[in-house]
Amino acid sequence: MRDKTQTNSAAPGDRLIRAGAVVFFIGAVATLVTVAPLLLGTSPFPTYMFGLSMLMGVGFLLAGAGVLRSIAAGRRQARGASR
């Protein structure tokens, strides 16, 4: 019997994972921009740049939540198939 989901359909946690990856990447770029003046000996950036660096952690949490949501959906699907 064929699987009822299409190969190009999005799983329940896919959007969270993608959003988390984008936010993490923005935070990584902000971290590199923030650290560069410290290594080059120039004047440091304003404080809000250090706040933008925290987006790495936020992106990591978003992606983790997407993975957990995907796992939960897979478990629900497996329970439904076993009945």
Side-chain angles (χ1 to χ4, degrees):
M1 183 173 189
R2 263 199 252 164
D3 188 18
K4 293 181 183 177
T5 59
Q6 296 179 2
T7 57
N8 60 355
S9 64
D14 283 354
R15 285 187 180 173
L16 275 174
I17 294 171
R18 288 182 184 150
V22 169
V23 171
F24 183 87
F25 181 73
I26 292 170
V29 170
T31 300
L32 290 174
V33 168
T34 303
V35 172
L38 300 174
L39 298 175
L40 297 174
T42 60
S43 61
F45 282 103
T47 308
Y48 70 87
M49 287 299 290
F50 292 101
L52 285 177
S53 298
M54 298 298 168
L55 287 176
M56 285 179 68
V58 173
F60 188 75
L61 288 174
L62 276 173
V67 168
L68 291 176
R69 186 172 180 195
S70 177
I71 290 170
R75 284 185 175 183
R76 279 193 300 270
Q77 186 179 11
R79 277 192 207 134
S82 66
R83 290 183 183 181

